[in-house]
Amino acid sequence: MTRARMLLAVPALAVVALGLTACDKPNPGASAYSGTSSAYRQAACWAPEGSYLSADSCSADQIAPPDSSTIPTVAGQTIGISVDPSVAEIGWFPVLGNTRLTDSPITDTYFRFTPTQAQVAAPTTLSVLAGDDGGTRGIWTYKLVPANA
């Protein structure tokens, strides 16, 4: 009887373990687009509610945009960013290269801008930073590359 209980317990524990891992909430996501190209990413780094990322929270490898996040761009063509509602609630900043595109955090789920030739003449990074002037809670990055015209 002990062996039979053990045989029943192993699958039951596996089901419970799978159920618990299914409860892990994924990091919030953001999308960026230009023209007909778009890329969606979950936050490369995310701090739980009530905390901020520290300098050693994320490695350069985590933050670097993967190839799947490369978006061809053309000067004068709209670039849009869409974030999950949970990101909009805490506020976020769009950053092109090293320049913030807004002075205060955005609390909407969508932002768009039209880059100049100088801004997209060479590959550059488009980042989304969730948080406020008190600190950053999340980071998403995309690589903008000049489109073949």
Side-chain angles (χ1 to χ4, degrees), residues 6-128:
M6 191 168 15
L7 288 174
L8 290 173
V10 171
L13 287 174
V15 169
V16 169
L18 285 174
L20 290 176
T21 57
C23 292
D24 286 343
K25 196 172 184 181
N27 289 344
S31 298
Y33 80 85
S34 181
T36 60
S37 298
S38 66
Y40 172 83
R41 290 192 73 185
Q42 288 183 337
C45 295
W46 183 253
E49 189 171 342
S51 64
Y52 293 110
L53 296 173
S54 63
D56 59 349
S57 294
C58 303
S59 70
D61 289 340
Q62 284 176 288
I63 296 172
D67 288 341
S68 62
S69 293
T70 299
I71 302 171
T73 58
V74 175
Q77 187 175 47
T78 299
I79 296 175
I81 304 167
S82 177
V83 300
D84 285 352
S86 61
V87 175
E89 286 176 16
I90 61 174
W92 58 283
F93 292 95
V95 180
L96 186 60
N98 293 320
T99 306
R100 271 190 188 177
L101 299 178
T102 62
D103 292 331
S104 57
I106 298 168
T107 55
D108 292 325
T109 58
Y110 186 74
F111 176 80
R112 66 181 179 181
F113 67 100
T114 305
T116 65
Q117 179 63 38
Q119 291 174 315
V120 294
T124 191
T125 300
L126 173 65
S127 302
V128 174

